Amino acid sequence: MLRRRHNDGKVVKITIDGEAVDARAGESVAAAVLAHASGATRTTPVSGAPRASYCMMGVCFECLMEIDGEPNRQGCMVRVEEGMSVRRQQGARDMERAS
Amino acid sequence: MSAPAYDIAIIGAGPAGMAAAHEAVNVGLKVVIIDEQAAPGGQIYRDVERVAMERRHDLDVLGADYKYGYGLVDGLQASSVTHLAGHTVWQIERNGTVWCSDGKIAKQVDAKRVLLATGAMERPVPVPGWTLPGVMTAGAAQILMKSAGMIPDGPIAICGSGPLLLLIADQLVRAGAKIAVVAETTSFTDYLRAAPHLLRALKGADYLRKGIAMRRRLKTSGVRIVSGISDLRITGSDKAEGVSYRVGGSVKSFAAETVLLHQGVVPNTQATRQLRLEHIWHEQQHYWYPKTGQNGSTEAEAIYIAGDGAGINGARAAEAAGRLTALEIACSLGKISRADFDLKSPPWFSELDHHQSVRPLLDAMFPPPKEILNPPDDATLVCRCEEITAGDVRKAAKLGAPGPNQLKAFLRAGMGPCQGRMCGLTVTEVLAAAHGKSPADIGAYRIRPPLKPLSLAELADMETGDGDVTLASPSSGP
Amino acid sequence: MPDQTAPGNFDVAVIGGGMIGPALSLGLLERNLKVCILDEGDDVLRVARGNFGLVWFQGKGFGMPRYVEWTRRSATLYPEFAAELKEHTGVDVGHANPGGLELLLGEEELAHRQRYIGQIYQQGGGKEYEVEFLDRKQVEEMLPGVGLGEDVVGASYSPIDGHVNPLFLLRAMHTRFQQAGGTYLPHHRVSEVRKNGGAYDVVTEKGIVSAAKVVIAAGHGLRELGPPLGLDIPIRPQRGHILVTERTKQILPMPISSFRQTVEGSIMLGVSAEEAGYDDTINTGTVAKIAERAARTIPALRHLNIVRTWAALRVLTPDKCPVYAESETHPGIYAVASHSGVTLAAVNAKVASGWIAGDPAPEQFDAFGVERFDAQKTA
Ligand SMILES: Cc1cc2nc3c(=O)[nH]c(=O)nc-3n(C[C@H](O)[C@H](O)[C@H](O)COP(=O)(O)OP(=O)(O)OC[C@H]3O[C@@H](n4cnc5c(N)ncnc54)[C@H](O)[C@@H]3O)c2cc1C
Ligand SMILES: Cc1cc2nc3c(=O)[nH]c(=O)nc-3n(C[C@H](O)[C@H](O)[C@H](O)COP(=O)(O)OP(=O)(O)OC[C@H]3O[C@@H](n4cnc5c(N)ncnc54)[C@H](O)[C@@H]3O)c2cc1C
Ligand code: FES
């Protein structure tokens, strides 16, 4: 689990798995999710193993999340935006975009 | 065909790319710089502008070397350079055509020259348990401090080696994080091995002084530092609960909620591999780097490389190399004469020399441990995406897989979304050990576009103007 | 692999460890012959690693009825072949033959396909040919939950078509080959084959291997190896691109010639045809074209990410049909080359291997010789 050292940043309201969460401007989606809860941020499509963000710089692809209905986006490479909806993924994605 | 829109397309807005852009604009070249990050800075100066403007309390934690980057970023913002921020480059052609995407639309950028300043990534650290939630790279923790002002809550174990390990530990302590242990794989023999390089490194004495001061500061702030550890394991079932390792003949364990791994940084060779440039194996640091000629030129006339992507030399050396490469490109385009080059380049050559001088010492002091390169435990995952273990790789080697590409075919290792970034080096090492050969003879994965996944829609909607291709279907089948 | 170099004495030396060499070798080993496979190293042209994985019947054999029969025979033998590999090696090659579709976009494509398939039917002289045409509604019923693009007017369908994981097939064949006592020698690129008394010396970069019979199953390598041995076979490379998506939940119940979903869940999208010599680099324009057609055919594919693309070079004869030939000047030296080496793996292992071992040639082989190319040249 992560914590913010200071809470004075501009609040950005997002939802994580439907729950309303206050993130801060400039944070990546992956950071906001890790600050919200510890543990897995997805399970793998191969064996269902729990995983979470590993590199935070876009090379490991462990932070894959559904962002605004679009699955398999790199949460560490996307900044939070007001009203964003984020979901942790379980296994393989659906072909259709969730809406 | 119309003339390319730009003289140079620079890929990567880290120190190498930013400095190159600055130099290129100064001599009158038309420059575009493309980076997948939302703001310039690269790995070391990530988000420095925002921290300097909005989060000054984090600036003190991150230190003077970080703050230094603000000048470069500020210079880039003020210049006439076209900056495509948040654009991932997914295909580069040898003639200078670059394809990138902002996640919605794929774009083609044409330039006379392409400068790859794509930098480095941390070496993957395949140890038992490294895929558990709660395990990150040390660099990831640093990125969280830089971009979000966040630190791990609860006890942290920092394990591995390399100059960045202590830097990041130091930054975390200053940020108020609780460190359970800093466990270094580096041992006394590594320091002895490094001794002969001290003389050359004296030119880079400032680096040594900083390193010693950091270690002292950590010790005085009560952080437990253990050296010469081996057999590192991360415990826990659904998430990390602690680490265990062997030191001085006994096994020690510590509880930790966050485990930070680090074994130095290695060039990110995805782009240079995709261009099929020749690569050389670094015997001491066990990584591949692309072969470069004079001032960053390569075997492909339009392609140049600068910074850590050409071999690890650190941020300040990357900056100097970026400037020199930009001048070399200007020379090759006839924008400046060789005499101009000789007039402008000396300060950057001496900068480069100064900042490179400490490298042999660092390389000797921090050799990646064998057990990280070639994980002894058959059950250790090597390919995180396809969940392939070291044992699987050894079995395929017995079957005769001569190298990484046949192995990929046999096992699917390297076929997941990370496209081999996380397993490439390990697969080469494990195969080399199994065949009793040098990694240099084993080779590496072939890398093909896209460098990063992009949606089918983006590809389908592209205007490529290429008319003479037919699809085999439906007249004759595949 | 240890440097297990010559001198080695083998009944048969097979040159090439791609799709055809190992298949033939499995059959040879079953007859208790001593067999080695000589192969190149890692970063080489090996189409066995770059293909689409279809076990495909419909549309094959245009102008050559014997090839229609040969393909059917292989498809029929496939279930048994795959089951044996699984039993011995534990590797599931993922073979399935749920039938296959070729989706047609627009009336013009439909008419073209009807003519083409009709001709193959007619050349069989009225014999059964298991391909039929479906209209859009019938296709929709076959592909529940798959939204078809507006342009899809129908499809040709064959119940014989299927697919396999070609990479696992390669691994399974290699595993079985070594289990059954075969000797696999990578890094043994062959430069020439010389007659030595009653046998042949196969000269490799690592030394000489001696064998009574030699099979050239070297894909594009045949171009160089064949001519001095009386096997001047006019094969050429034809570049094909393939795109692969990320893993997604299973949605395609059957292969659709230019798309197929693997058991792992990724969808492969193909395939292009370009004359580009031995250049297997990616052409971005081609990638775009494949993507565009895929999006027109099944619009929901637009949302999927492409994680990989590659290009591989087909081994094509002028009439696109296979070659199975023994040299007239060098008896005991055989050349086997074909596109569709995946489809033919079962029949190569079960039937063609017998011909090399000394059985009479299967009746289809009259059509698969090299003489036809002289005729085609003068025609
Ligand atoms: C996580 C991490 C943290 C580090 N922290 C420090 C530190 O605190 N102090 C220190 O001295 N050194 C640090 N380093 C080492 C450091 O990388 C370098 O010395 C320095 O940043 C190298 O500069 P560069 O310009 O060569 O590359 P980088 O700074 O790495 O810049 C490369 C840029 O290229 C971009 N890029 C790469 N591929 C693509 C693509 N396909 N499309 C678009 N853009 C792309 C990246 O987003 C990045 O911004 C760190 C390295 C890493 C990996
Ligand atoms: C894009 C594409 C899609 C395809 N899709 C399908 C499909 O869906 N279904 C299907 O049935 N077929 C398909 N194919 C065709 C199929 O892959 C080939 O027919 C098959 O791989 C040919 O097998 P091969 O053994 O002749 O050649 P390869 O698989 O290329 O193997 C040749 C081997 O010989 C070795 N070699 C070459 N020269 C020498 C030498 N001098 N000494 C030693 N070794 C040598 C090579 O290293 C290699 O290992 C496709 C092909 C392409 C290009
Ligand atoms: S955390 Fe590694 S790619 Fe996002």
Side-chain angles (χ1 to χ4, degrees):
Chain A
M1 180 108 163
L2 297 172
R3 73 175 163 87
R4 292 181 185 86
R5 293 182 56 237
H6 299 267
N7 261 326
D8 50 1
K10 181 172 167 281
V11 170
V12 174
K13 293 196 177 297
I14 64 171
T15 63
I16 300 176
D17 293 321
E19 204 177 318
V21 171
D22 285 355
R24 297 292 181 283
E27 289 172 4
S28 66
V29 171
V33 170
L34 288 172
H36 171 64
S38 65
T41 58
R42 68 166 186 135
T43 61
T44 64
V46 178
S47 71
R51 293 282 174 86
S53 308
Y54 174 75
C55 74
M56 284 289 167
M57 62 169 280
V59 292
C60 75
F61 288 75
E62 293 292 8
C63 59
L64 296 179
M65 295 175 193
E66 185 190 301
I67 301 176
D68 284 340
E70 205 180 309
N72 277 356
R73 293 192 63 192
Q74 284 182 291
C76 73
M77 300 300 289
V78 179
R79 286 185 177 177
V80 291
E81 279 170 28
E82 189 67 31
M84 204 174 234
S85 142
V86 179
R87 291 187 176 275
R88 284 172 280 202
Q89 290 183 187
Q90 310 295 321
R93 64 168 290 177
D94 285 317
M95 183 149 100
E96 298 278 355
R97 217 186 117 99
S99 40
Chain B
M1 233 174 79
S2 57
Y6 295 97
D7 293 314
I8 314 187
I10 299 173
I11 306 171
M18 291 189 292
H22 182 256
E23 214 56 36
V25 170
N26 273 354
V27 296
L29 293 177
K30 202 159 174 237
V31 184
V32 59
I33 190 164
I34 312 172
D35 197 299
E36 60 181 334
Q37 291 189 45
Q43 299 311 341
I44 177 164
Y45 310 129
R46 180 183 285 266
D47 277 320
V48 65
E49 186 179 30
R50 232 163 27 86
V51 174
M53 308 303 282
E54 297 165 22
R55 302 200 335 253
R56 296 202 63 90
H57 37 69
D58 289 321
L59 203 56
D60 303 332
V61 163
L62 292 163
D65 286 347
Y66 176 66
K67 194 169 158 189
Y68 167 89
Y70 182 51
L72 282 170
V73 170
D74 201 33
L76 180 72
Q77 312 282 46
S79 73
S80 64
V81 171
T82 307
H83 180 196
L84 297 180
H87 281 68
T88 303
V89 171
W90 54 268
Q91 151 88 317
I92 307 161
E93 290 171 17
R94 277 189 168 216
N95 65 3
T97 305
V98 174
W99 296 88
C100 59
S101 157
D102 62 359
K104 294 186 179 68
I105 296 172
K107 293 181 194 137
Q108 176 177 351
V109 175
D110 292 318
K112 292 179 189 147
R113 297 287 184 265
V114 174
L115 172 52
L116 300 171
T118 45
M121 54 176 258
E122 289 171 276
R123 176 191 298 285
V125 187
V127 294
W130 74 306
T131 55
L132 288 172
V135 182
M136 280 191 252
T137 66
Q142 195 201 39
I143 289 171
L144 286 162
M145 286 190 274
K146 289 173 181 171
S147 65
M150 288 183 191
I151 53 173
D153 207 6
I156 308 172
I158 305 183
C159 308
S161 95
L164 278 181
L165 190 80
L166 290 184
L167 168 69
I168 294 169
D170 188 37
Q171 290 169 329
L172 281 166
V173 169
R174 274 189 275 169
K178 290 190 281 292
I179 296 185
V181 64
V182 175
E184 294 182 293
T185 52
T186 316
S187 66
F188 187 59
T189 43
D190 298 322
Y191 290 115
L192 281 186
R193 186 177 319 115
H197 299 287
L198 260 175
L199 221 55
R200 183 168 140 84
L202 282 181
K203 277 204 279 178
D206 38 346
Y207 281 90
L208 295 184
R209 265 198 303 276
K210 275 186 206 163
I212 293 164
M214 230 144 49
R215 188 175 286 273
R216 193 176 319 119
R217 215 164 34 235
L218 280 171
K219 288 216 156 129
T220 50
S221 54
V223 173
R224 187 188 287 116
I225 305 183
V226 188
S227 299
I229 69 141
S230 63
D231 201 15
L232 175 66
R233 285 158 195 278
I234 296 149
T235 51
S237 53
D238 282 349
K239 55 183 180 183
E241 284 160 15
V243 295
S244 80
Y245 51 76
R246 199 174 282 281
V247 64
S250 58
V251 175
K252 288 261 181 317
S253 52
F254 285 92
E257 271 177 32
T258 301
V259 179
L260 303 180
L261 300 175
H262 183 78
Q263 285 291 348
V265 299
V266 298
N268 178 356
T269 52
Q270 296 297 110
T272 49
R273 283 277 174 202
Q274 187 245 298
L275 279 156
R276 300 195 188 183
L277 297 174
E278 189 183 336
H279 286 68
I280 302 169
W281 182 251
H282 193 300
E283 295 286 345
Q284 201 169 27
Q285 278 295 310
H286 289 253
Y287 63 63
W288 299 104
Y289 61 98
K291 185 175 166 188
T292 49
Q294 177 169 301
N295 305 318
S297 62
T298 71
E299 66 197 81
E301 199 193 348
I303 310 291
Y304 289 74
I305 313 170
D308 273 3
I312 303 304
N313 277 304
R316 298 295 298 273
E319 187 185 335
R323 295 189 193 279
L324 287 167
T325 308
L327 291 173
E328 181 68 33
I329 290 173
C331 217
S332 84
L333 292 174
K335 197 77 192 180
I336 62 172
S337 68
R338 194 46 73 180
D340 286 338
F341 180 92
D342 291 340
L343 217 64
K344 288 176 190 286
S345 57
W348 310 130
F349 276 122
S350 68
E351 274 278 307
L352 188 63
D353 183 60
H354 174 80
H355 292 290
Q356 276 180 343
S357 54
V358 72
R359 232 2 90 168
L361 176 76
L362 296 179
D363 286 351
M365 239 164 93
F366 301 111
K370 283 210 178 62
E371 64 180 46
I372 299 299
L373 300 175
N374 175 22
D377 195 337
D378 271 349
T380 306
L381 277 186
V382 162
C383 168
R384 298 175 65 111
C385 298
E386 293 292 327
E387 304 187 29
I388 307 295
T389 66
D392 294 332
V393 176
R394 290 190 187 103
K395 235 163 80 188
K398 278 215 190 86
L399 206 59
N405 296 293
Q406 190 83 346
L407 182 103
K408 184 171 170 181
F410 281 175
L411 298 180
R412 295 184 59 84
M415 287 195 189
C418 95
Q419 295 149 312
R421 287 169 173 87
M422 288 290 116
C423 65
L425 283 173
T426 314
V427 157
T428 294
E429 293 275 358
V430 175
L431 283 174
H435 289 311
K437 289 188 174 178
S438 152
D441 295 327
I442 291 291
Y445 288 140
R446 274 188 167 197
I447 302 298
R448 296 188 175 81
L451 290 169
K452 286 258 181 115
L454 78 161
S455 72
L456 184 98
E458 289 174 79
L459 287 171
D461 298 343
M462 251 163 27
E463 299 278 335
T464 58
D466 207 315
D468 51 354
V469 185
T470 58
L471 297 186
S473 237
S475 56
S476 56
Chain C
M1 271 283 107
D3 272 355
Q4 198 174 349
T5 327
N9 270 305
F10 294 91
D11 296 321
V12 187
V14 175
I15 307 175
M19 208 28 77
I20 294 179
L24 292 170
S25 301
L26 291 186
L28 294 169
L29 287 173
E30 271 180 22
R31 294 165 179 257
N32 292 319
L33 294 170
K34 204 171 158 219
V35 185
C36 70
I37 293 179
L38 304 164
D39 206 0
E40 296 176 296
D42 189 52
D43 197 358
V44 296
L45 294 178
R46 187 169 290 137
V47 197
R49 297 192 304 220
N51 68 73
F52 207 66
L54 294 175
V55 175
W56 209 245
F57 171 75
Q58 61 167 297
K60 295 280 172 69
F62 185 86
M64 192 180 276
R66 289 300 198 191
Y67 185 27
V68 179
E69 295 166 27
W70 190 239
T71 302
R72 182 189 288 117
R73 196 159 171 196
S74 197
T76 314
L77 289 168
Y78 236 99
E80 180 194 338
F81 176 60
E84 279 175 17
L85 284 173
K86 169 131 195 227
E87 183 191 326
H88 290 295
T89 66
V91 180
D92 185 346
V93 301
H95 174 254
N97 59 324
L101 293 166
E102 174 107 29
L103 295 185
L104 302 161
L105 306 185
E107 295 300 333
E108 200 181 317
E109 272 185 26
L110 175 63
H112 183 276
R113 185 73 176 163
Q114 278 168 338
R115 268 198 312 278
Y116 184 84
I117 293 291
Q119 256 164 300
I120 300 178
Y121 169 70
Q122 271 166 15
Q123 75 191 20
K127 271 192 262 170
E128 194 192 357
Y129 181 57
E130 304 86 337
V131 181
E132 58 186 293
F133 281 84
L134 309 179
D135 63 22
R136 184 180 162 104
K137 197 154 165 289
Q138 289 170 304
V139 175
E140 278 169 347
E141 278 160 18
M142 249 183 204
L143 300 175
V146 180
L148 298 175
E150 287 171 11
D151 296 345
V152 177
V153 291
S156 55
Y157 165 78
S158 172
I160 297 184
D161 292 333
H163 56 163
V164 68
N165 178 329
L167 301 180
F168 287 3
L169 173 63
L170 183 67
R171 172 156 65 102
M173 290 197 297
H174 274 266
T175 308
R176 179 70 193 130
F177 175 73
Q178 292 181 54
Q179 256 177 7
T183 305
Y184 177 62
L185 299 169
H187 297 294
H188 278 66
R189 182 172 206 283
V190 175
S191 54
E192 65 173 316
V193 182
R194 292 194 292 243
K195 196 154 179 58
N196 183 356
Y200 289 104
D201 280 347
V202 186
V203 184
T204 81
E205 57 190 320
K206 290 260 176 81
I208 292 174
V209 172
S210 166
K213 290 183 175 180
V214 177
V215 180
I216 308 173
H220 292 292
L222 173 61
R223 199 78 210 99
E224 259 177 48
L225 291 169
L229 304 170
L231 293 163
D232 188 357
I233 297 161
I235 52 169
R236 72 168 202 280
Q238 185 195 57
R239 185 165 69 184
H241 283 64
I242 294 177
L243 281 55
V244 183
T245 72
E246 60 204 346
R247 289 175 192 247
T248 176
K249 303 227 163 88
Q250 289 295 333
I251 175 92
L252 297 180
M254 60 174 67
I256 310 184
S257 88
S258 49
F259 316 136
R260 75 177 193 93
Q261 188 164 24
T262 68
V263 280
E264 294 84 27
S266 27
I267 298 179
M268 300 176 71
L269 311 170
V271 271
S272 57
E274 277 168 283
E275 303 298 327
Y278 289 97
D279 176 5
D280 70 347
T281 53
I282 302 286
N283 179 347
T284 313
T286 310
V287 168
K289 210 154 180 173
I290 291 174
E292 197 254 341
R293 184 177 173 94
R296 262 174 76 204
T297 314
I298 302 178
L301 289 171
R302 289 175 63 85
H303 304 305
L304 292 181
N305 286 313
I306 299 298
V307 292
R308 256 172 310 132
T309 64
W310 69 83
L313 306 175
R314 294 184 185 82
V315 181
L316 275 196
T317 54
D319 58 13
K320 299 186 181 169
C321 295
V323 171
Y324 292 81
E326 182 175 0
S327 168
E328 302 220 323
T329 56
H330 295 66
I333 298 193
Y334 302 80
V336 180
S338 74
H339 180 54
S340 303
V342 178
T343 305
L344 299 179
V347 78
N348 282 340
K350 300 267 161 212
V351 185
S353 56
W355 162 67
I356 288 161
D359 292 353
E363 54 184 352
Q364 290 87 6
F365 281 22
D366 290 350
F368 297 159
V370 291
E371 316 76 32
R372 70 183 200 263
F373 300 121
D374 301 334
Q376 283 167 7
K377 241 182 268 168
T378 48

